[in-house]
């Protein structure tokens, strides 16, 4: 200001970083562009793209990975939310031999109806990892594989095995619908701008045929099992709130069966998997994050003298699950235990 002293302002850290072409990358929006050409080649090679494949690329950015995919595939369909990146893609490939084999869709991939594709290759904003994973698993017709760059911890949850520290509800829900393989670890310096964490590329192969299960029932079951994943199942299913919930469900189902036996349908077998991804708790350590999910305190394991409680514990004893822990159960064991509960008329939704 005229006639006064100019105040010295502290330099603020830039919210975005420009690249040589003039486009600014917004870290707040999860924009981290692959800059290592050797890494790009490795991802394309490990994806197993065939010359007859239609490839869905999510988050193409400026097209570094897109270019290699176009060289390997029949067609590439790129979904990009940033209009600046869309223009850059169009500019980059206009007039090239690849231009007629590239289709760019501008929009939010979570709200976009995805077309047919054989393989998905994606370097995504990490904040959409969970909802995107389940959107893809819900896609029809079933694709061959998805090769996706995730934040490393999220990726390791997807591929975790029983007994691993990161084994959680997200792990079991994902592996119910797909086989997941870790392909390679990617350091943060392979991106522009570099993210704060390392990444990993995983390969997701949907199961064919799918494992048939009532998804609402399955989800309710896993929520209880992973409420305290390192406690014994006997301890978890003795909790007053759990017994109360299951007994309420039991009475409801019994009333429906007696009142209208022919009205019970299994429509929720086809429940939209995308809704699973809305649960951010699946990206966290269930033993820490979900402790209050059932509104149960550590000491709330008092004996509940009821015939129904004996029925629940009887199921655990029948399958030899009473002393087992969710953190060490396999997918097949979870499926078997749920079938035992359902056989006894005990339901979770």
């Amino acid at each position: 200001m005229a006639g006064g002293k100019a105040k010295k302002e502290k330099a603020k850290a830039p919210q975005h970083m420009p690249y040589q072409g003039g486009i600014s990358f917004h870290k707040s929006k999860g924009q981290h562009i692959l800059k290592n050409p050797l890494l790009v080649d490795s991802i394309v090679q490990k994806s197993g793209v065939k010359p007859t494949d239609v490839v869905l690329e999510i988050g193409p950015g400026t097209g570094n990975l897109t270019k290699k995919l176009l060289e390997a595939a029949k067609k590439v369909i790129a979904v990009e939310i940033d209009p600046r990146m869309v223009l850059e893609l169009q500019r980059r490939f206009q007039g090239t031999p690849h231009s007629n084999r590239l289709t760019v869709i501008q929009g939010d991939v979570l709200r976009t109806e995805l077309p047919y594709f054989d393989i998905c290759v994606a370097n995504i904003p990490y904040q959409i990892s969970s909802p995107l994973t389940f959107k893809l698993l819900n896609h029809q017709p079933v694709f061959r594989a998805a090769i996706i760059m995730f934040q490393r911890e999220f990726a390791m949850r997807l591929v975790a095995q029983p007994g691993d520290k990161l084994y959680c509800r997200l792990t079991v829900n994902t592996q119910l619908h797909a086989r997941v393989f870790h392909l390679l670890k990617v350091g943060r310096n392979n991106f522009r701008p570099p993210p704060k964490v390392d990444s990993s590329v995983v390969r997701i192969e949907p199961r064919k045929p799918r494992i048939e299960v009532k998804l609402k029932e399955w989800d309710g079951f896993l929520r209880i099992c992973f409420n305290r994943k390192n406690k014994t199942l006997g301890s978890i299913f003795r909790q007053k709130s759990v017994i109360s919930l299951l007994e309420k469900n039991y009475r409801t189902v019994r009333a429906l069966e007696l009142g209208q036996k022919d009205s019970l349908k299994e429509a929720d077998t086809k429940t939209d998997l995308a809704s699973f991804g809305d649960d951010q708790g699946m990206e966290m350590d269930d033993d820490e994050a979900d402790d209050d999910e059932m509104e149960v305190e550590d000491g709330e394991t008092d004996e509940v003298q009821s015939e129904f409680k004996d029925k629940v514990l009887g199921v655990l004893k029948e399958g030899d699950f009473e002393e087992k822990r969710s953190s060490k159960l396999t997918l097949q064991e979870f499926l078997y235990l749920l079938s035992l509960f359902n056989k006894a008329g005990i339901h979770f939704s």
Side-chain angles (χ1 to χ4, degrees):
M1 289 178 59
K5 293 183 180 179
K7 293 183 178 180
K8 293 183 179 179
E9 295 185 358
K10 294 183 179 179
K12 295 182 179 179
Q15 297 299 310
H16 52 78
M17 295 183 65
Y19 95 116
Q20 63 269 24
I23 294 180
S24 298
F25 300 139
H26 299 283
K27 295 178 71 172
S28 61
K29 295 180 180 179
Q31 292 180 340
H32 301 281
I33 309 301
L34 277 172
K35 67 176 184 178
N36 185 339
L38 295 178
L39 178 59
V40 171
D41 289 340
S42 179
I43 291 174
V44 174
Q45 180 184 8
K46 290 180 180 294
S47 67
V49 177
K50 300 176 182 178
T52 55
D53 281 343
V54 174
V55 177
L56 174 70
E57 184 185 9
I58 300 170
T62 57
N64 293 340
L65 182 57
T66 312
K67 182 176 182 296
K68 293 296 181 179
L69 290 172
L70 284 167
E71 293 172 359
K74 176 183 177 181
K75 182 179 182 180
V76 174
I77 302 171
V79 182
E80 173 59 59
I81 193 172
D82 191 333
R84 302 170 309 142
M85 300 295 182
V86 171
L87 290 174
E88 172 62 16
L89 280 174
Q90 293 171 340
R91 182 200 66 77
R92 180 169 183 173
F93 295 104
Q94 186 176 16
T96 69
H98 302 311
S99 61
N100 62 342
R101 293 190 290 109
L102 172 64
T103 299
V104 182
I105 299 174
Q106 182 180 333
D108 182 347
V109 68
L110 297 180
R111 295 185 173 91
T112 300
E113 184 176 349
L114 300 178
Y116 170 87
F117 62 93
D118 299 296
I119 280 189
C120 173
V121 180
N123 172 27
I124 63 172
Y126 293 150
Q127 58 265 35
I128 68 169
S129 295
S130 187
L132 177 61
T133 297
F134 289 100
K135 178 181 176 73
L136 290 173
L137 290 176
N138 194 44
H139 182 75
Q140 292 291 338
V142 178
F143 54 91
R144 189 166 77 250
I147 292 78
I148 307 180
M149 181 93 66
F150 289 120
Q151 179 179 332
R152 180 162 175 77
E153 183 176 331
F154 184 89
M156 299 315 292
R157 288 181 185 276
L158 294 185
V159 302
Q161 295 299 310
D164 292 349
K165 182 180 179 180
L166 293 178
Y167 190 70
C168 62
R169 190 155 45 96
L170 170 65
T171 310
V172 181
N173 271 328
T174 303
Q175 294 181 12
L176 173 70
H177 302 287
R179 294 179 177 86
V180 190
F181 308 93
H182 184 268
L183 296 183
L184 65 151
K185 181 179 178 180
V186 181
R188 63 196 76 182
N189 291 327
N190 289 286
F191 299 89
R192 183 192 304 110
K196 294 180 179 180
V197 295
D198 289 333
S199 306
S200 277
V201 178
V202 302
R203 182 182 181 90
I204 300 173
E205 297 180 355
R207 293 186 183 275
K208 300 176 185 178
R210 294 191 178 201
I211 297 175
E212 292 298 327
V213 65
K214 295 181 180 180
L215 294 181
K216 288 183 179 179
E217 183 78 0
W218 173 257
D219 187 50
F221 168 65
L222 285 190
R223 284 176 183 275
I224 291 176
C225 290
F226 277 99
N227 185 41
R228 298 287 182 86
K229 71 177 184 180
N230 289 316
K231 287 186 176 291
T232 65
L233 290 170
S235 174
I236 291 173
F237 280 91
R238 279 185 174 87
Q239 295 176 69
K240 291 180 181 179
S241 59
V242 174
I243 294 294
S244 176
L245 172 66
L246 296 183
E247 188 170 14
K248 181 180 178 181
N249 290 347
Y250 180 77
R251 289 176 177 175
T252 300
V253 171
R254 290 288 293 166
L256 287 171
E257 288 176 344
L258 292 173
Q260 41 185 339
K261 291 183 179 180
D262 297 330
S263 67
L264 295 177
K265 305 293 182 182
E266 296 187 356
D268 60 345
T269 300
K270 298 181 179 179
T271 300
D272 188 352
L273 287 181
S275 63
F276 279 33
D278 294 333
D279 187 346
Q280 298 303 312
M282 290 198 298
E283 297 184 26
M284 300 159 64
D285 192 324
D286 300 72
D287 216 28
E288 297 175 0
D290 293 342
D291 279 358
D292 58 356
E293 183 177 342
M294 300 295 299
E295 298 182 0
V296 177
E297 297 179 359
D298 286 336
E300 194 175 333
T301 54
D302 299 337
E303 290 292 331
V304 181
Q305 297 301 326
S306 71
E307 182 179 339
F308 184 76
K309 177 186 174 184
D310 293 338
K311 184 181 184 70
V312 171
L313 297 180
V315 172
L316 293 177
K317 291 176 181 177
E318 177 188 352
D320 195 26
F321 285 103
E322 193 172 17
E323 296 302 318
K324 293 183 178 180
R325 292 167 168 76
S326 297
S327 59
K328 297 185 178 180
L329 289 189
T330 65
L331 171 63
Q332 290 71 26
E333 287 176 313
F334 279 117
L335 288 166
Y336 177 53
L337 178 55
L338 178 58
S339 72
L340 290 179
F341 275 122
N342 289 168
K343 182 180 177 181
I346 300 170
H347 295 273
F348 296 82
S349 64

